[in-house]
Amino acid sequence: MDRPKRIYIAGPMTGLAEHNFPAFHAAADRLRQAGWDAVNPAENFGGRTDLPRESYLRADVALLVGCDAVAMLPGWEDSRGAKLEYLLARELGLPVLDAENLQPLQSAPVPLVHLHRLRIRWEESGQVPEPILDEAKRITASDRQEDYGHPSQDFARTARMWTGILAGKLREGAEVVPMDVPLCMIAVKLARQAHRHKRDNLVDIAGYARTAAMVVGDE
């Protein structure tokens, strides 16, 4: 006989009456009656609520990654911990259910934070940063194109908009072309870097230089 699938219950606790434990226990009962092996974080540590937050987080994450699905309690969107658990579940490809009706979560939000795009402030972590040119190439080869399309298409749209905005200042018959966009953006980044050093400026300058090459077909 196959074991019941494990499902982790995620939801708000901090600041709620009785730490919202009654809602967690009720959800666990519903899920178990429906045939799930419910993992209820309100049962961790014998129900203690006086431990450091990190202790609960370590235990909860360890339990979640061993589950087959996640059930979200009402109000999870306002909970720091539950939002982290939702993000982790999405990254792991786990089904996400509504803990009240046990159906797939309706209008499940797409996380704005994607772990494969997460940028670390290396200067604060003390670790060796990714070389600027490598970072610029990585960004322009994947993240930016996924978000905005190929530079020739993205800059063509921008150029048309700039032409309209600057129509009263351009000489008759002149228009902004796609190659003008990365060159102007490099100028913006140079001006910002001249004001104050910021590593992102240098990464962006390198990135816009590469997209300029992509516009003319050199890459």
Side-chain angles (χ1 to χ4, degrees):
M1 180 177 178
D2 293 338
R3 69 170 178 82
K5 288 189 174 183
R6 303 189 78 200
I7 188 166
Y8 180 88
I9 303 170
M13 288 186 177
T14 303
L16 298 180
E18 299 181 69
H19 297 277
N20 207 28
F21 280 9
F24 277 84
H25 296 320
D29 288 343
R30 286 194 298 273
L31 288 162
R32 287 162 183 159
Q33 290 174 11
W36 290 91
D37 177 9
V39 177
N40 180 5
E43 297 171 353
N44 290 350
F45 303 103
R48 288 183 60 180
T49 61
D50 58 339
L51 298 175
R53 180 178 181 273
E54 293 78 9
S55 298
Y56 298 109
L57 184 59
R58 286 175 181 272
D60 293 347
V61 169
L63 290 170
L64 188 154
V65 298
C67 289
D68 304 295
V70 174
M72 309 303 296
L73 284 168
W76 71 268
E77 304 94 332
D78 300 318
S79 165
R80 179 183 170 193
K83 286 187 289 188
L84 175 62
E85 291 164 343
Y86 175 79
L87 174 61
L88 182 57
R90 290 292 299 262
E91 289 289 332
L92 293 173
L94 301 181
V96 181
L97 306 184
D98 185 315
E100 290 201 312
N101 58 31
L102 310 189
Q103 298 299 310
L105 190 67
Q106 293 296 311
S107 303
V110 177
L112 295 179
V113 175
H114 299 276
L115 297 185
H116 69 286
R117 299 185 188 178
L118 188 63
R119 299 178 66 183
I120 299 173
R121 294 183 62 89
W122 295 103
E123 61 271 22
E124 295 179 359
S125 69
Q127 300 183 51
V128 178
E130 179 182 15
I132 285 174
L133 292 179
D134 290 349
E135 182 177 351
K137 185 174 182 179
R138 172 177 55 78
I139 292 172
T140 54
S142 57
D143 291 0
R144 294 297 187 270
Q145 287 197 52
E146 183 179 326
D147 289 337
Y148 310 133
H150 190 277
S152 61
Q153 300 170 337
D154 179 31
F155 294 157
R157 292 191 296 268
T158 304
R160 288 193 292 271
M161 294 180 185
W162 286 7
T163 297
I165 293 170
L166 301 172
K169 298 181 180 181
L170 293 171
R171 67 178 183 274
E172 186 175 353
E175 61 180 22
V176 179
V177 298
M179 177 56 81
D180 295 329
V181 177
L183 297 181
C184 289
M185 293 308 300
I186 288 172
V188 171
K189 297 298 178 178
L190 285 170
R192 292 177 179 176
Q193 181 63 23
H195 173 68
R196 180 180 296 126
H197 168 66
K198 186 177 181 182
R199 188 178 185 278
D200 283 355
N201 291 330
L202 303 180
V203 173
D204 289 343
I205 289 169
Y208 280 119
R210 181 168 190 253
T211 57
M214 296 168 74
V215 168
V216 296
D218 287 343
E219 287 204 31

